[in-house]
Amino acid sequence: MNKMMVIFMLLALLLPTVGQAREDTPPPYMNAALPVEERVDDLLSRMSLEEKIGQMTLVEVNSINPDDITSLYLGGILSGGDGDPRQGNQPDYWSEMVNGLQDYALNTPLQIPIIYGVDAIHGHNNVEGAVIFPHNIGLGATRDPALMEEIGRVTALEMIATGIYWNYAPCVAVPQDIRWGRTYEGYSENTDLVTELALAYMRGLQGESLSDPYSVLATPKHYVGDGGAVWGTSTSFGTPIDRGVTDVDEKNLRAVHLAPYVAAVENGAMSIMVSFSSWGGLKMHAQKYLITDVLKGELGFQGFVVTDWAGIDEISQDYYRAVVTSINAGVDMNMVPSQYHEFLSVMKVAAASGDISMERIDDAVRRILRAKFMMGLFEHPYGDDFLLAEVGSAEHREIGRQAVRQSLVLLQNENDALPIAKGVESIYVAGLADDIGIASGGWTIFWQGQPGDITPGTTILEGIKNTVSESTTVEFDLDGNFDGKADVGIVVVGELPYSEWFGDNPNLSLPAEQIRMVENMRQHADKVIVVLLSGRPMMITDLLETTDAFVAAWLPGTEGQGVADVLFGDFPFTGKLSYSWPRSMAQVPLSALLSDDEPPLFEFGYGLTY
């Protein structure tokens, strides 16, 4: 064997090894040390059309065939209201479900992780055992950005425990009509306050960097003007205002409703959700001017735009036309949420025909991938099971309790009714005081919420019993039927849970039986204190004459001990109204109140102290 043959034999042996080494070298997009844009460029160059449009598809968890995540290269999964695991609604089942679905995504050739999203709008509120914070209307009354940041941090940790890194919050609507069923999702009628608190909450969710393993992607919503919809303009579900028309000029739209988005983009928002509402004769999901020209162009938004639940469908009865219009308007990811095969088919046809250009598809996918890389999803696609012990922890509940205390607004306090002495001989408690579900409102465990013992927590009644002296007698009756007379009577009244258009209501008066309950308590207690649970101001002008003290507790969530903390004087009342409080329905909406010669019952910023 000559020398040349030996060399050839050695090369033959080495070549497979060299080739194998090349195959084992991770592609640039898997290199976390490279700049995000370089990673995006590399990955995008490797993707087929099917992989690209798959990334643009967001599917509801109970509609998904898990194998389709792999075969269709789907980009995202969500749990809407009631989208909990089939095994049971506990944190460990959530973790198992979400991480299991991620396995399917990482089994694709390019191993692009899914992004999993939920509406964790007042804590991780889909999950039994999570801390349920007050709804935003209550948090608006705290006027405390530091507290909002802490709530965002707690929410992020409880989400990550279950494998979820994408939150459809904060809602930055600026509600102008309290008849709207989503009023409680807005921090305030005041744009500056909405902006300040939403940014603080965003900081809590996202932390100093989205790449931090304990950061969650925020999603300011609903772009843009949903809080300005006019009563009677909605054409959806027979509802009068939800998903209606924001009938204002562009100057007003920008000043009142766009301003929070300007600040959010400047402060690192990388996902924004479009509104169901309309402006200028077009559904928001079709608004190329507002989505592409203003948001992406003028404001320089570099993240991705996601639809609301089947939001594209409302543009036209012709689904092909609806998809083409919305994607070309600048929507990047479609929350389908169930008919994803049809959406993918339409996208293929639209791309082949040129109705949607590859440039538009590449831009959409680039934005989605950019956010995923910034989030570090390629490096940590799974949740952190170590955090499961933190879901609903005592530390987290204490922050919820603080939020409740600071959200309470004292509207009236006559005859030194408050604070209540802990050693008072007897207290009668009536009404909704012993119900976690009612205190938490909509978007709690279920989409519409539900009365009853739906998740662990402390009711207002339990808080009262925990606070009084051992010698104090506390007697509770749901209907307020008492004999004899107590030193103090506490009546908890308010709204039953609702969300979205189910809460649209032309008459914000309290039910007659609740008013009778307060009047009856007047006969059975020396001092009568009313605590109102509601997602908005209610019509209480006449009722104030029957009571000594009146407290707006909003929808406080699971930590009812915070209400008792303040009623009994362990902490002062510090909450200030983030909404004007009308005297009657004649002063609704806000524009009617502002033009009325008579002042509101309580002005924006009102709140008594001890």
Side-chain angles (χ1 to χ4, degrees):
M1 186 180 295
N2 59 38
K3 185 176 181 181
M4 187 62 68
M5 289 181 66
V6 171
I7 292 172
F8 277 123
M9 289 177 68
L10 288 172
L11 284 172
L13 291 170
L14 288 171
L15 279 173
T17 305
V18 172
Q20 185 65 46
R22 285 177 179 171
E23 289 176 10
D24 287 344
T25 301
Y29 74 86
M30 286 293 191
N31 185 351
L34 292 177
V36 166
E37 293 306 314
E38 189 172 331
R39 297 177 75 184
V40 173
D41 287 341
D42 178 65
L43 179 52
L44 198 60
S45 71
R46 299 169 185 269
M47 295 174 72
S48 65
L49 174 63
E50 287 76 12
E51 288 167 319
K52 290 176 180 178
I53 62 177
Q55 284 300 300
M56 298 171 68
T57 309
L58 176 60
V59 183
E60 190 268 328
V61 67
N62 288 324
S63 302
I64 190 69
N65 174 353
D67 289 329
D68 286 343
I69 299 173
T70 306
S71 61
L72 300 176
Y73 319 105
L74 300 179
I77 307 293
L78 81 144
S79 282
D82 308 319
D84 47 280
R86 291 188 174 95
Q87 303 97 310
N89 191 357
Q90 286 77 44
D92 54 344
Y93 287 133
W94 278 87
S95 174
E96 181 182 329
M97 176 182 73
V98 177
N99 290 334
L101 293 172
Q102 190 67 272
D103 287 340
Y104 286 91
L106 298 182
N107 199 33
T108 55
L110 295 175
Q111 296 181 300
I112 305 174
I114 56 168
I115 182 170
Y116 200 107
V118 292
D119 293 275
I121 63 174
H122 62 141
H124 198 8
N125 46 257
N126 295 286
V127 181
E128 284 186 25
V131 179
I132 307 300
F133 293 97
H135 269 296
N136 285 351
I137 190 170
L139 297 177
T142 72
R143 310 290 180 99
D144 190 342
L147 175 63
M148 286 305 308
E149 189 166 346
E150 193 73 356
I151 290 171
R153 182 191 68 83
V154 168
T155 302
L157 292 177
E158 297 204 359
M159 288 176 62
I160 293 168
T162 60
I164 301 172
Y165 290 91
W166 187 18
N167 191 0
Y168 305 141
C171 179
V172 297
V174 187
Q176 303 295 290
D177 190 329
I178 60 174
R179 292 173 292 184
W180 185 35
R182 301 190 83 145
T183 296
Y184 64 73
E185 294 186 48
Y187 295 105
S188 176
E189 69 189 32
N190 177 276
T191 302
D192 291 340
L193 184 55
V194 168
T195 302
E196 180 183 31
L197 297 182
L199 288 183
Y201 180 74
M202 243 181 69
R203 286 194 300 271
L205 288 178
Q206 299 196 164
E208 294 184 3
S209 170
L210 273 176
S211 62
D212 187 314
Y214 298 110
S215 292
V216 158
L217 181 66
T219 308
K221 65 180 186 183
H222 307 84
Y223 187 84
V224 55
D226 51 337
V230 175
W231 187 264
T233 61
S234 178
T235 58
S236 301
F237 309 112
T239 180
I241 188 169
D242 191 56
R243 309 187 181 201
V245 177
T246 303
D247 188 15
V248 297
D249 60 22
E250 185 170 347
K251 181 179 179 180
N252 181 286
L253 184 75
R254 285 175 174 266
V256 176
H257 303 286
L258 183 65
Y261 294 96
V262 175
V265 171
E266 291 174 348
N267 285 272
M270 289 299 295
S271 167
I272 286 176
M273 182 181 289
V274 185
S275 173
F276 282 119
S277 58
S278 303
W279 179 76
L282 279 179
K283 284 284 186 180
M284 282 294 164
H285 284 81
Q287 288 274 1
K288 184 174 184 180
Y289 169 66
L290 289 173
I291 298 173
T292 297
D293 297 348
V294 175
L295 179 60
K296 294 181 175 180
E298 181 183 327
L299 303 189
F301 177 60
Q302 295 297 303
F304 67 96
V305 174
V306 63
T307 76
D308 207 329
W309 183 278
I312 282 179
D313 301 38
E314 297 199 358
I315 294 174
S316 171
Q317 292 183 346
D318 181 339
Y319 189 64
Y320 184 90
R321 178 185 174 191
V323 169
V324 169
T325 300
S326 189
I327 300 301
N328 284 336
V331 164
D332 303 308
M333 181 179 274
N334 181 16
M335 188 186 294
V336 180
S338 57
Q339 303 300 321
Y340 56 97
H341 290 281
E342 183 180 4
F343 172 69
L344 291 168
S345 176
V346 166
M347 286 295 296
K348 286 181 183 178
V349 173
S353 67
D355 286 340
I356 299 176
S357 69
M358 281 306 304
E359 179 183 15
R360 171 77 272 268
I361 291 172
D362 283 350
D363 173 62
V365 179
R366 174 179 295 278
R367 290 169 176 276
I368 295 164
L369 295 178
R370 180 183 291 133
K372 289 186 175 184
F373 280 123
M374 289 177 68
M375 294 169 66
L377 275 182
F378 285 78
E379 288 69 55
H380 52 85
Y382 297 103
D384 188 342
D385 286 348
F386 181 76
L387 291 175
L388 284 170
E390 295 295 309
V391 177
S393 67
E395 177 190 355
H396 291 181
R397 291 191 183 280
E398 182 56 38
I399 296 168
R401 182 174 171 181
Q402 176 189 350
V404 173
R405 291 195 297 257
Q406 293 184 215
S407 69
L408 303 177
V409 179
L410 182 57
L411 300 177
Q412 175 175 284
N413 191 21
E414 303 291 342
N415 304 318
D416 295 322
L418 292 173
I420 305 167
K422 294 179 183 178
V424 69
E425 185 175 335
S426 59
I427 301 175
Y428 288 164
V429 183
L432 311 177
D434 198 30
D435 197 305
I436 285 284
I438 292 175
S440 299
W443 291 108
T444 307
I445 309 303
F446 309 98
W447 173 40
Q448 292 297 318
Q450 183 175 294
D453 188 19
I454 61 175
T455 193
T458 304
T459 68
I460 295 172
L461 177 64
E462 289 169 337
I464 292 169
K465 290 181 175 180
N466 292 340
T467 306
V468 298
S469 70
E470 292 182 1
S471 61
T472 300
T473 300
V474 177
E475 185 176 338
F476 171 72
D477 188 87
L478 179 66
D479 300 315
N481 296 319
F482 299 102
D483 296 321
K485 198 163 191 178
D487 298 299
V488 175
I490 301 172
V491 187
V492 182
V493 298
E495 299 182 289
L496 298 180
Y498 57 82
S499 66
E500 299 191 56
W501 66 91
F502 287 90
D504 289 357
N505 190 348
N507 181 9
L508 301 180
S509 299
L510 289 169
E513 60 269 21
Q514 292 187 5
I515 295 173
R516 284 195 298 269
M517 193 185 305
V518 176
E519 293 171 343
N520 183 59
M521 184 67 84
R522 182 79 275 173
Q523 308 304 314
H524 292 279
D526 292 332
K527 295 178 181 179
V528 177
I529 299 158
V530 171
V531 176
L532 175 63
L533 303 178
S534 68
R536 49 203 162 189
M538 305 292 287
M539 300 304 110
I540 61 170
T541 304
D542 294 339
L543 196 59
L544 292 175
E545 298 177 7
T546 311
T547 63
D548 296 293
F550 206 106
V551 178
W554 312 111
L555 298 170
T558 53
E559 306 314 305
Q561 183 66 51
V563 176
D565 289 342
V566 182
L567 292 182
F568 288 88
D570 286 338
F571 292 85
F573 279 97
T574 58
K576 305 296 179 185
L577 291 180
S578 58
Y579 287 80
S580 307
W581 200 295
R583 291 181 177 276
S584 68
M585 292 305 298
Q587 291 187 323
V588 179
L590 182 63
S591 57
L593 188 154
L594 295 176
S595 62
D596 199 297
D597 293 334
E598 192 173 29
L601 184 62
F602 302 110
E603 294 184 348
F604 173 88
Y606 178 88
L608 299 175
T609 59
Y610 286 144

